[in-house]
Structures are given as structure tokens and as C-alpha cells.
Amino acid sequence: MNCDERLAEELEALQAILMDEIIIKTDSDGNPTGIEMEVLPVTDLDTDEQYVTLTLDVTLPVGYPDVTPIVKFRNPRGLADSTLDLLKEQISNKCAEYSGSPVLYEIIELVREGLTASNIPCCPCCICLYGFRPSDHFTKTQCYHYFHSNCLANHIISSEQIFIEEQDKLPPWQKTDEFHPVCPVCRANIKCDLEALKAAPPSLDLTEAPQKFEPSEELRLLQQRMSELFNQQKQRGGTIQQPNNTIILSSNVAAAVAERES
């Protein structure tokens, strides 16, 4: 391997510290061209509590460490764009601070610290559509999608009931032996402790939501506007579809249709 001695020592140290966590990319001649690593928050090795992740992809240009490395994030999960932008800014400042010196370990640690500080999914639960609060009970599937534990339990229970009802309609040779829960987002098979999910309380936002829906002033104005459009369409002879899918033709349209048919 023909590379800067500083780079060779840095990569050797990274491999000794991170072992299988880091991938060192090389060209056809065996010269290092970059590193790749899935970065997770620090949770004392409790992988069930690691809710966010990203793949750190660093390209080492010719002349590194005297030349700034190119840092990219791939496959970020559970992280807000603002968090990623802040990390990129911090990495840029760190590279400027360490100009001419090895900086890969500092970049990795900076990203890991950022993920640890942001270890709450920024996306809403796609079942109840509420976000996640620090005190909420939520779970992460193996495919890195996030749900309130209670929401996911209710989803699995409903899905199993539908599965049973559909199976009852099939002839014996077409029936499936067992129900397998799937992720509500990507439909991948998931493994979970249903009893533990059921025992979790609902999200705080769901608990605190008003029991009776009260339309906002904005919604009332929209309803009024839609009512006006409905009446305009009716007066001008438009075609109107009812909620029960029946079609109403105004007298003008009905007369025109009758005239064409005659």
C-alpha cells in the first residue's frame, strides 16, 4: 500500500479501535480511497435504544491529510434535515481546525455525539400521525421505522383480525398457516413482543388530544368556500357526485343530454 505515512498510521489506529465497524475502501492497487461506517448513538450497547442512524461515507482525495476529505451522509434514519445540516457544518469546521492533520476519528466521534444527542425520531408515527416526545413509549422496527408502542400493538391486532377473516374465506388448500406481522411502512416482516407493546400507554399527544373535534376558523372558511363552489357548479349545470357515488345532473345538463339523445 503506497500512501502517506500519516494516513497509513491513522487507518491502522482506526481499525484497531473500531475493528469490524469500519470499512476501508481501496482502489485496484490497494491504495486507500476512503472509509465507510454505519454510525449509531451511544446507548451503553443497548441496541434497542438506538433509534437513529446514518452511514458515514468519507472520500480521501489525493494529498490527504493536507487536503480536506469529502464527507457524505447516506441512508439517514430518524434524523431531521436540520440535524444533518448542523453536523455537516460542524464537520467542515473540524476539518478546518485539523487542516494538515489526521481528522477521521474526530469526524466519526463528532457524528456519533450528534446522533446520541438526537436519539429521538424526528418523523411522526405513521399510525396516529403524532410525533414522539421524550416520555413517549415508542419502538423501532428492524427496518428502522418508528411507531408508538401502543399504536403498533393496535395495528398488529387489527391486521391479525383481518388476516383471520380473509383466511376464513379461502378454501383449505389456499390458507396460510400462521400470521406474520409486517411493518406498516415498508411491509417487511417484523419481530416484536406484542404483550409488551400492548402494555405501553398511548402517546401523550393522543391522550391530550381533544375528544370532540372543533373546526378551526381556517377550516370553517374553507367549508364556506367549498359550499359556494358547490352551488355555483349546480347553478351552471355542472355534474355533481354525491358521497354515495350517485350522480346529480342539474336541469340544464339533463335537458342537454335529453336533446342529444333525441
Side-chain angles (χ1 to χ4, degrees):
M1 182 172 63
N2 181 23
C3 67
D4 189 299
E5 182 178 349
R6 292 170 295 175
L7 173 57
E9 292 178 353
E10 181 180 22
L11 295 178
E12 183 178 351
L14 286 177
Q15 283 187 310
I17 297 170
L18 301 171
M19 296 184 286
D20 294 338
E21 293 181 60
I22 190 169
I23 298 173
I24 296 177
K25 299 184 287 186
T26 60
D27 60 19
S28 57
D29 296 324
N31 296 313
T33 59
I35 64 168
E36 182 178 308
M37 177 180 174
E38 182 184 10
V39 185
L40 295 161
V42 178
T43 55
D44 295 329
L45 302 180
D46 187 350
T47 56
D48 290 337
E49 297 296 323
Q50 294 172 328
Y51 298 113
V52 296
T53 183
L54 62 76
T55 299
L56 179 64
D57 189 347
V58 183
T59 299
L60 302 175
V62 176
Y64 172 84
D66 296 319
V67 179
T68 301
I70 302 169
V71 181
K72 295 181 180 179
F73 299 150
R74 293 191 290 105
N75 303 322
R77 297 296 181 92
L79 295 163
D81 289 340
S82 58
T83 300
L84 297 175
D85 290 341
L86 178 60
L87 283 174
K88 290 175 183 177
E89 180 181 351
Q90 292 174 338
I91 288 172
S92 178
N93 294 337
K94 183 68 68 174
C95 288
E97 178 186 349
Y98 278 72
S99 179
S101 302
V103 72
L104 297 180
Y105 182 76
E106 281 70 21
I107 291 175
I108 293 170
E109 285 301 293
L110 192 154
V111 174
R112 187 174 300 179
E113 290 171 4
L115 267 59
T116 302
S118 305
N119 194 27
I120 295 179
C122 69
C123 54
C125 168
C126 77
I127 297 174
C128 70
L129 301 183
Y130 286 113
F132 299 98
R133 294 195 196 179
S135 55
D136 278 343
H137 292 253
F138 57 91
T139 187
K140 172 196 69 179
T141 61
Q142 292 80 13
C143 45
Y144 269 92
H145 292 118
Y146 311 93
F147 310 94
H148 294 109
S149 299
N150 189 267
C151 291
L152 184 58
N154 292 333
H155 171 80
I156 293 174
I157 292 170
S158 298
S159 298
E160 186 172 15
Q161 182 61 42
I162 294 172
F163 171 82
I164 293 172
E165 292 173 356
E166 292 299 319
Q167 289 292 303
D168 289 341
K169 300 175 184 178
L170 298 175
W173 61 87
Q174 289 185 348
K175 292 186 176 182
T176 303
D177 292 336
E178 188 177 355
F179 168 75
H180 295 285
V182 298
C183 172
V185 175
C186 67
R187 313 303 295 172
N189 287 337
I190 58 175
K191 296 180 180 179
C192 55
D193 184 344
L194 181 57
E195 293 304 315
L197 295 177
K198 288 166 57 178
S203 69
L204 288 177
D205 282 331
L206 188 61
T207 303
E208 296 172 0
Q211 298 300 311
K212 183 179 178 181
F213 174 72
E214 293 290 343
S216 64
E217 184 62 26
E218 183 180 3
L219 180 56
R220 291 183 188 278
L221 292 174
L222 178 60
Q223 290 173 331
Q224 181 180 348
R225 176 58 179 157
M226 295 301 294
S227 178
E228 293 171 355
L229 291 174
F230 177 87
N231 291 327
Q232 289 176 11
Q233 185 179 7
K234 190 174 180 179
Q235 292 169 3
R236 294 175 182 176
T239 303
I240 302 169
Q241 185 166 356
Q242 297 281 74
N244 61 0
N245 291 326
T246 59
I247 302 297
I248 298 176
L249 294 180
S250 73
S251 57
N252 295 339
V253 175
V257 171
E259 184 178 350
R260 283 201 304 270
E261 292 178 348
S262 63

